[in-house]
Amino acid sequence: MNDSNSDVDAFERQLRQFRPARPSDELMARLENRPTPRSARTGIDFRAVVRFFAPGLGGATALAVILACWFVAHHGLPRVAMTANFGPTPFPASRTPLVCVHSTDAVVAARDEGIYTKVDGQPVQVIRLLDLNKSVWKDPRNGNRMEVVVPRQQFLVGDVETY
Amino acid sequence: MDPQEPSPVEWRVWLRSHAREFLLFARQQTRCGADAEDVLQEALMEAWNRSPDHAPPPLPLVYATIRRRAIDLGRSNDRRTRREQSDDPARPAWFESETEMTGMRDLLESGVKGLLDNQREVVVLKVWGGLTFEEIGAALEIPPNTAASRYRYGIEALRKTLKPLLA
């Protein structure tokens, strides 16, 4: 029994020689600054879209945008022609002494830009989204706070089914 | 300073002490690297917010939260993650190693992945997470004796897999 336990202990020590892989710098920056959870894969906060559209826009536009977001979230980007971002890049928090203490991201406007036809004849619907990323940064040395507001504009372009 | 907010230094020190183990556990609970990172980020925030007095959360609470969020994500994204798992071109390695030990590292990762799910999570939490069987039981919502039993079976299976290289 003791031999068995010592064997297991020795085996555990051998296993521990292999350290778990270190998280990437990008992930550590995300974790250390505790930003708003957001899928890195799609970049779309689907819940915010739903919250925005539920009381606001007309049914057809809201449905179109929600379906477009659902499509991107579940089927990936290959069938979405383009997604463009404008505005400054995210605040480089990991290289400053400032610490992000609060962050929100919400869609504040959306517009149906209509139906266009691609060169290959495929009709596509274009949706323009404006979202605002607000983050509050704190200087741990003196407690000063700074709010950064970053507007982003995105175009969702999705194929329209024809019958 | 907002009493709801942890000290940045405290948060960073705690995070850097445990991030590797958290990520390893998240990776073995999810189907791709992106899911593991999302789950880890959300779980850490939730665990910290649920922690009494907003002190660094107990490790079993963090692992339990990672596991529950991974299960929730798996349910909601089942079809998508299955597809992405099959064509994820840059699946990160679970372990680090010196260059000359890369083959062994790959074999270890393969061996860990080859364990039954309920054995693998116990082995990871015990060996690399450093939890006791009591803590593992709390994290996985199983009796400590069950955790110990699964660990014995898991470690034995892993030893058979790695025996040729560790002898």
Side-chain angles (χ1 to χ4, degrees), chain B residues 14-77:
Chain B
W14 179 83
L15 185 62
R16 288 181 180 273
S17 300
H18 303 289
R20 292 169 183 258
E21 293 75 21
F22 291 157
L23 182 59
L24 174 63
F25 187 68
R27 281 177 173 161
Q28 60 109 14
Q29 292 282 329
T30 53
R31 290 178 175 149
C32 69
D35 281 353
E37 295 185 356
D38 283 352
V39 161
L40 175 57
Q41 182 182 12
E42 292 171 357
L44 283 177
M45 286 191 294
E46 180 185 332
W48 190 287
N49 288 331
R50 289 171 56 195
S51 176
D53 302 326
H54 291 268
L59 297 182
L61 173 63
V62 177
Y63 287 114
T65 309
I66 291 172
R67 184 169 181 265
R68 178 173 48 73
R69 284 197 170 262
I71 291 171
D72 291 346
L73 181 68
R75 285 176 179 152
S76 63
N77 291 342

Side-chain angles (χ1 to χ4, degrees), chain A residues 4 7-8 11-12 14-24 26-28 30-42 47 70 72-76 93-94 96-102 138 140 145, chain B residues 1-2 5-6 8 11-12 15-16 19-21 23-24 27 32 34-35 37-38 40-42 44-45 48-49 76-77 79-80 83-84 93-97 101 104-105 108 126-128 151 155 158-159 162 166:
Chain A
S4 174
D7 284 351
V8 171
F11 184 54
E12 285 180 353
Q14 287 177 307
L15 292 179
R16 289 193 185 102
Q17 290 177 359
F18 293 87
R19 296 189 71 190
R22 182 184 181 280
S24 65
E26 178 192 0
L27 177 59
M28 285 304 294
R30 283 170 59 189
L31 299 178
E32 289 184 346
N33 294 305
R34 309 177 66 207
T36 300
R38 181 175 179 145
S39 169
R41 185 181 303 104
T42 64
R47 289 165 298 183
W70 181 89
V72 172
H74 288 78
H75 297 272
S94 61
T96 80
L98 300 182
V99 176
C100 181
V101 295
H102 182 66
K138 183 165 65 178
R145 289 175 176 244
Chain B
M1 176 177 291
D2 186 343
E5 290 296 336
W11 167 256
R12 290 186 182 195
L15 185 62
R16 288 181 180 273
R20 292 169 183 258
E21 293 75 21
L23 182 59
L24 174 63
R27 281 177 173 161
C32 69
D35 281 353
E37 295 185 356
D38 283 352
L40 175 57
Q41 182 182 12
E42 292 171 357
L44 283 177
M45 286 191 294
W48 190 287
N49 288 331
S76 63
N77 291 342
R79 281 180 301 175
R80 189 188 73 185
R83 187 179 64 247
E84 288 181 350
W94 283 12
F95 299 96
E96 285 181 354
S97 74
M101 297 178 73
M104 201 162 164
R105 179 202 66 189
L108 170 63
K126 180 74 167 64
V127 175
W128 290 282
Y151 179 72
I155 212 74
L158 199 53
R159 190 153 61 165
L162 302 179
L166 293 178

